[in-house]
Amino acid sequence: MNTNLSATAFLGKYRAWIGTAIAIALIFLAPALMSTYSLGLLSKYLCYAMVAVGIGLAWGQGGMLTLGQGLFFGLGAYVMAIHLKIEELAPGAVPDFMAQYGITKLPGFWELFRNPVVAVIGVAAVPGIVAAVLGWAVFGRGVRGAYFAILSQALVAAFAVLLIGQSKTTGGTNGLNDFSGFFGYDLTDPANKEMIYYICAFCVLAMVLITYWIRHSFMGELIIGVRDQENRMKFLGYNPASIKVFAFSLAAMFAGIGGAMFVPVVGIISPSDIDVTPSIMMLAGVVIGGRTTLLGPVIGTLIIRFAETQLSEAYPAAWTYVEGAIFILVIAFAPMGLGQFKGLWPWLKDRLGLSGPGAKVAGDSTADIGTGTDTAIPAGTTAKAVNA
């Protein structure tokens, strides 16, 4: 019995390191098992997975239903696309679509991202700053729930309309496309495509680890506390708006990085890639994988994107109905997505005799995540209120 408890305690203590090691092994194994085409598809799915990790943090942890992540995905993508376009231009030249309108000089916001360092910083900073400004304007006025969800969706629709309307500088409905290089690397070279896959995969891994750290930190407790008991958190001296802005902005930065990597992977970014429908699809993987779980958004996104690719090719007219049926079934029978089956492992442990008295590792706070109970209030807040 002691051996079983020791094994359980070991897994509980080092599960983050074990999970990271397994993920790294899978990342390096994929190129050996997949063709260049399949690896490119996986890279594309991983770009959406970055968005899903942020949605899991903002919605699963913070209770903010973000229906407009396409806005931040698009901001990061257009920052990257602008830089890659500038890289291909001769000195003093402008893109073809600008020349057609008689523009002879690059706009100021294009020149801003000519520098590669500024562009790399901008793919995360621009979405993060926009999200922070929007967050303070929205959460500071107490907007939440369905009103916030509708507003976020309206913003992404307005952004798509803006891109189409500014066709002289953004490419309009055609967007920005036909990229041949990525910071000096030839995008037609399979070795460089593999390099981009590694960048995407390790970005997803880094985002998952950051989310894991937040969930197990005091900030994670604050985010849950604001989600479940916002008025009580105000009484204890915390500003719910600032906590929401933090989670919302970080999710926006994740989406911006995903959008930035989408550009070299797919080779195009247009308003159709970031509109309302793509934004809802970004949410679909989180719904299926389980918004309150750590890896659920990533796994769910990979599943839904793979199904989309396979079924839309085989049944292009029926895929939309299949997608709708998946949503209905998940909401009706598994509202927590794959997270609905979190109790399967404890059940197996009981049957295998791996659990017993004291098997729970001390200090493991994951049991309280997403419970919706008063345990979500940070432990130190009561003392703070008394001292006040």
Side-chain angles (χ1 to χ4, degrees):
M1 189 61 160
N2 292 334
T3 303
N4 291 336
L5 292 179
S6 299
T8 304
F10 177 83
L11 291 174
K13 184 177 181 180
Y14 296 103
R15 60 183 176 182
W17 292 102
I18 295 173
T20 302
I22 294 174
I24 293 175
L26 291 175
I27 288 172
F28 283 104
L29 185 62
L33 301 177
M34 304 176 72
S35 65
T36 302
Y37 173 75
S38 298
L39 195 65
L41 286 178
L42 179 58
S43 301
K44 178 182 175 181
Y45 303 158
L46 290 173
C47 293
Y48 291 121
M50 298 181 208
V51 186
V53 174
I55 295 176
L57 176 64
W59 183 29
Q61 289 288 105
M64 296 170 282
L65 179 55
T66 55
L67 294 178
Q69 289 302 94
L71 167 63
F72 309 114
F73 184 86
L75 287 172
Y78 270 87
V79 168
M80 177 61 74
I82 287 172
H83 174 74
L84 296 185
K85 267 296 180 185
I86 293 176
E87 274 192 336
E88 299 172 355
L89 296 176
V94 297
D96 293 340
F97 68 88
M98 289 188 186
Q100 292 176 358
Y101 289 101
I103 298 176
T104 58
K105 184 179 180 181
L106 288 175
F109 70 93
W110 275 66
E111 288 290 353
L112 177 64
F113 300 113
R114 178 184 292 274
N115 187 289
V117 176
V118 175
V120 170
I121 296 174
V123 298
V126 171
I129 292 172
V130 171
V133 173
L134 292 175
W136 280 114
V138 173
F139 301 130
R141 295 179 176 272
V143 178
R144 56 183 175 176
Y147 298 102
F148 170 73
I150 295 172
L151 178 61
S152 65
Q153 193 172 60
L155 287 172
V156 73
F159 181 56
V161 172
L162 176 65
L163 291 173
I164 295 173
Q166 299 296 318
S167 58
K168 294 181 180 180
T169 56
T170 63
T173 55
N174 294 327
L176 303 178
N177 51 56
D178 196 25
F179 306 103
S180 60
F182 179 71
F183 294 96
Y185 292 93
D186 183 8
L187 288 176
T188 60
D189 189 343
N192 294 333
K193 291 183 178 180
E194 184 175 324
M195 175 196 67
I196 292 175
Y197 154 74
Y198 283 124
I199 295 175
C200 293
F202 280 104
C203 280
V204 173
L205 178 59
M207 292 174 186
V208 170
L209 292 176
I210 291 171
T211 304
Y212 176 84
W213 174 76
I214 292 174
R215 289 172 67 126
H216 291 77
S217 69
F218 185 66
M219 176 56 74
E221 294 182 349
L222 291 178
I223 294 173
I224 296 175
V226 169
R227 180 196 67 191
D228 294 341
Q229 300 286 347
E230 184 169 337
N231 291 331
R232 182 178 294 187
M233 295 297 289
K234 289 181 181 178
F235 175 77
L236 295 173
Y238 294 97
N239 183 359
S242 62
I243 297 171
K244 288 183 177 181
V245 167
F246 168 79
F248 184 52
S249 300
L250 187 58
M253 294 172 70
F254 287 176
I257 296 172
M261 294 309 303
F262 180 87
V263 173
V265 168
V266 179
I268 183 175
I269 184 66
S270 68
S272 63
D273 297 314
I274 61 176
D275 207 347
V276 173
T277 301
S279 294
I280 294 176
M281 282 300 297
M282 293 173 187
L283 192 74
V286 181
V287 173
I288 293 173
R291 61 187 176 91
T292 61
T293 61
L294 181 64
L295 294 178
V298 176
I299 297 173
T301 296
L302 295 180
I303 291 174
I304 194 68
R305 292 296 175 176
F306 177 79
E308 178 186 17
T309 300
Q310 299 301 317
L311 294 178
S312 61
E313 291 178 357
Y315 309 101
W319 160 242
T320 304
Y321 300 101
V322 174
E323 181 183 9
I326 292 173
F327 272 107
I328 294 173
L329 291 173
V330 170
I331 294 173
F333 299 104
M336 302 303 294
L338 297 178
Q340 199 83 19
F341 306 100
K342 287 191 296 184
L344 182 61
W345 173 237
W347 181 82
L348 287 175
K349 287 199 299 182
D350 289 338
R351 294 297 182 273
L352 297 175
L354 297 178
S355 61
K360 179 177 174 61
V361 179
D364 184 5
S365 61
T366 57
D368 296 333
I369 292 178
T371 57
T373 65
D374 290 346
T375 57
I377 302 300
T381 54
T382 303
K384 178 177 177 180
V386 172
N387 294 333

